[in-house]
Amino acid sequence: MNMDMFTDAQRMEKVVRLCKRRGFIFQSSEIYGGLNGVWDYGPLGVELKRNLKNYWWRVMVHERDDVVGLDGSILTHPAVLKASGHVEGFSDPMVECDVCRRRYRSDQIPLTTPFRTLVDLIVSDREGKAHVDSITVGGDSRRDVHDKAKIQSKYLHPDWKLDSIHLEPGHADDPVRSCPHCGGELSDARPFNLMFKTRVGPVDARWSGPSILPVSATGTIGPAAPPPSVMLAGVATMGSKDTPLSDDDDAAVAYLRPETAQSIFVQFKNILEVARKKLPFGIAQIGKAFRNEINPRNFTFRSREFEQMELEYFCRPEDGMELLEYWKEERLKFYENIGISRANLHVLDVPDEERAFYSEGTYDIEYDFPFGRQELEGVAYRTNYDLSQHQKASGKSLEYFDEQTKERFIPHVVEPSAGVDRTVLAMICEAYAEDQAPNDKGEMESRIVLRFHPRMAPIKCAVFPLLKNKEPLVAKAKEIITLLRPHMTVFYDERGAIGRRYRRQDEIGTPFGVTVDFETLGEREPAMRDTVTLRHRDSMKQERVAIKELANILTSRIR
Ligand code: ATP
């Protein structure tokens, strides 16, 4: 991550506001105050996301002979993640503030705080008696330290009144890192495992103890009870009072997968047998992954629940490095084909010391988000590490037999691993634009437009009758909707002036607008009967096209 990159907080704020206002992305559980790091995709967001995933699946699986798909489970056997190294090592270094108890990923906090000094807080207690509390506060400047001292005072003396703040002149001797929120001291870094642990089967902390609660005939056992089916299943499996259900039962532990890749490795042998593929070949998967990120941030960029699109491309060892290059180029092309300009994409050749120890080469494909240049996708040559680990731990052979050379070996793998949510966010950031467009009176007005690639746009075509109270116009517009609907997502809108209707569609990125007017009815010029105005979102140019040509014209542009 490059902290010094140019950022544009204002632009990001506009993107976030638009996402909420037009129904792309909402905070999860918003009416209850929200769940941090978790997001829901609204009616337009879900279309955009599906378009992305479908296109990825199309080019990575359907259009290739050498890739097959998998839809693996989210709940993962702990042995899988022990063998892969996740149980031991899938952690980020975490630091905690001594004052406000906020936790941070250590590598995301600047190494030193430029200004750190002793501060005297003068506070009065409930009886009005004054006290002096000497604290240490770190910040970017004297002003910043002053503000942060005020915040610390709220944590240290929540019920007392802050009278004044006095900063010692000059710097304190040791400019160490401090809490970005309150300037407090940070603990030493310690590893924090990012995996979500859960329990499988009828176990629950509420029932750990010497006996199983009785279940009535109706299955009800009081307010804290689980659904009857769960309890009954529990009784049936556990059998007797002497085998208490325990939350700590190791056999019941499972993890929510932190990446989709592991189920591919674990199913490698089964798929090899059924798909009858020869090396090199790949297994692709799109699905949810979960990481208990210490600081979810930058909107959906770092979430705790997200989706990945991963390909594990198995090969002979000698082909690994060449395939790494090949997949990097393929993936760059992919981003360009969904409307992300090459100028905003960057390839980081991850240096030896930052790569996973088993990887012989890794590229990060990065994008210039408004909050800085950040990773969209990792393309890694993982050698045969994963399959070897699973072979060792499971005791089952995961070798490949080469019929031609009669060799038996564990295949190597190149993995392009992309984030659905990060790519959706990149598409929205890339598409967001403000420009000038004429209103119904021909005066120029500013407009917000999402310039999505037509292939990705949530709605492909909007259809407008010029007037809503003119029955033949409305009937024709609805006919066009019926005509187009089998081929694409369409939207019918008859409310307001036509310019306003265009504007509403521009804002959600609809690339085409079709207007049914009196010429369509052939009332003025019979030759124009059954033609409509087709308006293009980006150029705002309009052309006259025959209704019967519409589906063909549009489908060729959105595929
Ligand atoms: P980062 O360094 O940003 O935490 P990573 O290198 O750990 O990412 P990978 O394990 O390589 O990420 O995962 C592959 C892809 O999955 C990433 O490139 C990203 O697009 C996506 N991804 C990973 N973590 C998250 C997350 N917390 N939220 C959203 N997408 C994620």
Side-chain angles (χ1 to χ4, degrees):
M1 180 182 29
N2 186 343
M3 295 275 198
D4 305 326
M5 270 290 305
F6 167 78
T7 59
D8 188 344
Q10 222 184 5
R11 182 178 169 83
M12 194 57 211
E13 237 183 84
K14 288 179 182 173
V15 165
V16 174
R17 261 189 275 131
L18 178 67
C19 281
K20 164 140 200 218
R21 181 156 48 84
R22 298 310 309 267
F24 282 92
I25 300 170
F26 306 119
Q27 198 181 9
S28 173
S29 313
E30 193 189 83
I31 60 168
Y32 291 103
L35 184 58
N36 197 8
V38 186
W39 302 92
D40 294 338
Y41 288 78
L44 293 173
V46 69
E47 296 295 337
L48 183 61
K49 208 178 183 195
R50 270 171 179 266
N51 291 342
L52 170 67
K53 291 191 283 183
N54 289 345
Y55 184 64
W56 188 93
W57 199 259
R58 179 178 131 196
V59 299
M60 301 293 274
V61 184
H62 289 174
E63 291 181 358
R64 302 184 65 104
D65 276 337
D66 56 353
V67 177
V68 293
L70 173 71
D71 188 8
S73 65
I74 286 170
L75 290 175
T76 307
H77 195 299
V80 171
L81 296 161
K82 261 184 208 143
S84 65
H86 285 84
V87 172
E88 277 300 307
F90 193 59
S91 54
D92 279 339
M94 185 183 71
V95 288
E96 188 180 70
C97 173
D98 284 346
V99 181
C100 68
R101 298 278 155 219
R102 275 185 162 71
R103 290 169 169 188
Y104 303 94
R105 235 174 90 166
S106 174
D107 55 353
Q108 289 174 348
I109 305 278
L111 282 179
T112 55
T113 307
F115 200 89
R116 186 163 171 275
T117 190
L118 288 173
V119 176
D120 284 342
L121 297 177
I122 316 296
V123 281
S124 18
D125 62 22
R126 288 213 186 95
E127 281 80 46
K129 195 165 157 230
H131 302 263
V132 181
D133 187 4
S134 293
I135 58 171
T136 308
V137 186
D140 293 336
S141 60
R142 275 183 81 82
R143 170 90 240 155
D144 191 34
V145 164
H146 192 273
D147 293 344
K148 284 180 171 153
K150 228 192 260 179
I151 298 174
Q152 279 204 30
S153 171
K154 285 198 184 124
Y155 286 99
L156 297 169
H157 309 287
D159 303 325
W160 294 6
K161 187 168 149 277
L162 174 66
D163 296 323
S164 58
I165 296 173
H166 300 281
L167 268 60
E168 291 259 311
H171 288 60
D173 37 12
D174 234 0
V176 293
R177 46 179 31 193
S178 19
C179 172
H181 176 62
C182 73
E185 210 134 304
L186 294 173
S187 68
D188 288 340
R190 61 190 168 90
F192 174 77
N193 195 297
L194 300 182
M195 287 200 296
F196 283 97
K197 210 178 200 179
T198 187
R199 284 173 181 81
V200 174
V203 281
D204 189 302
R206 287 169 298 179
W207 282 277
S208 64
S211 64
I212 295 170
L213 298 179
V215 187
S216 76
T218 55
T220 51
I221 59 162
S229 56
V230 173
M231 267 314 286
L232 288 168
V235 173
T237 341
M238 304 306 281
S240 91
K241 272 183 171 180
D242 307 324
T243 51
L245 297 166
S246 165
D247 195 23
D248 303 325
D249 191 347
D250 265 357
V253 166
Y255 292 95
L256 304 190
R257 64 182 177 194
E259 59 179 30
T260 61
Q262 292 308 320
S263 54
I264 297 182
F265 296 126
V266 171
Q267 291 297 352
F268 171 75
K269 199 72 179 184
N270 278 336
I271 294 175
L272 186 65
E273 272 162 23
V274 297
R276 307 178 57 125
K277 294 284 176 201
K278 289 205 169 71
L279 289 183
F281 79 93
I283 304 174
Q285 178 164 208
I286 300 179
K288 290 266 187 182
F290 302 82
R291 295 183 188 178
N292 197 4
E293 296 282 356
I294 297 167
N295 293 122
R297 59 188 189 158
N298 290 330
F299 200 23
T300 56
F301 177 83
R302 187 170 299 288
S303 306
R304 290 185 165 135
E305 173 176 341
F306 55 96
E307 270 183 281
Q308 291 184 313
M309 307 181 280
E310 293 194 301
L311 170 70
E312 303 304 324
Y313 196 74
F314 299 98
C315 62
R316 299 183 61 87
E318 60 271 27
D319 297 334
M321 288 311 276
E322 199 179 310
L323 284 166
L324 175 68
E325 296 303 314
Y326 167 81
W327 279 110
K328 176 195 68 180
E329 291 305 321
E330 285 297 295
R331 299 303 304 144
L332 285 169
K333 261 189 256 160
F334 175 89
Y335 288 110
E336 288 184 75
N337 287 340
I338 60 170
I340 295 185
S341 80
R342 188 66 181 82
N344 290 332
L345 291 168
H346 305 273
V347 177
L348 173 75
D349 188 351
V350 180
D352 290 358
E353 63 279 10
E354 286 176 30
R355 272 200 317 262
F357 70 91
Y358 49 79
S359 168
E360 277 183 21
T362 300
Y363 292 116
D364 281 352
I365 299 180
E366 300 181 320
Y367 175 72
D368 287 331
F369 285 97
F371 45 83
R373 186 172 297 171
Q374 298 276 2
E375 175 182 330
L376 264 189
E377 165 161 358
V379 185
Y381 172 29
R382 298 173 69 114
T383 63
N384 63 359
Y385 174 76
D386 304 272
L387 287 182
S388 302
Q389 286 295 102
H390 288 303
Q391 172 165 300
K392 222 185 297 166
S394 68
K396 305 271 162 38
S397 164
L398 297 179
E399 285 178 336
Y400 174 86
F401 179 66
D402 189 317
E403 309 252 342
Q404 266 176 341
T405 61
K406 307 292 178 214
E407 281 172 283
R408 210 174 270 286
F409 60 96
I410 299 181
H412 281 220
V413 73
V414 174
E415 174 199 78
S417 168
V420 174
D421 309 75
R422 285 189 188 177
T423 310
V424 165
L425 186 58
M427 287 197 293
I428 298 174
C429 292
E430 178 85 9
Y432 184 92
E434 291 171 15
D435 64 6
Q436 296 283 309
N439 64 16
D440 285 299
K441 295 183 198 117
E443 299 154 352
M444 292 309 267
E445 277 180 353
S446 62
R447 74 164 176 165
I448 292 174
V449 53
L450 287 180
R451 300 187 193 280
F452 287 132
H453 190 297
R455 171 180 286 149
M456 290 292 121
I459 291 169
K460 309 298 184 193
C461 182
V463 181
F464 315 117
L466 189 61
L467 299 171
K468 72 169 176 198
N469 50 11
K470 189 81 179 162
E471 177 29 44
L473 293 178
V474 169
K476 205 49 147 185
K478 291 196 169 158
E479 233 175 74
I480 295 173
I481 287 277
T482 311
L483 187 81
L484 296 181
R485 188 160 269 151
H487 308 282
M488 66 194 78
T489 45
V490 287
F491 186 81
Y492 174 80
D493 189 4
E494 56 178 28
R495 281 178 310 122
I498 205 81
R500 294 273 297 281
R501 285 185 255 171
Y502 283 148
R503 219 51 21 96
R504 285 200 287 266
Q505 293 304 312
D506 291 341
E507 214 182 44
I508 59 169
T510 307
F512 305 106
V514 163
T515 304
V516 175
D517 54 22
F518 291 102
E519 313 232 50
T520 314
L521 305 179
E523 286 182 2
R524 292 188 187 142
E525 208 182 311
M528 299 289 266
R529 181 184 292 276
D530 284 335
T531 64
V532 286
T533 304
L534 175 63
R535 183 242 192 201
H536 299 261
R537 174 199 65 203
D538 296 343
S539 64
M540 292 181 269
K541 290 218 173 91
Q542 305 195 355
E543 55 179 323
R544 201 77 199 171
V545 303
I547 293 174
K548 63 176 185 321
E549 298 295 330
L550 257 183
N552 267 345
I553 296 174
L554 298 184
T555 45
S556 70
R557 296 183 194 175
I558 61 175
R559 222 185 111 65

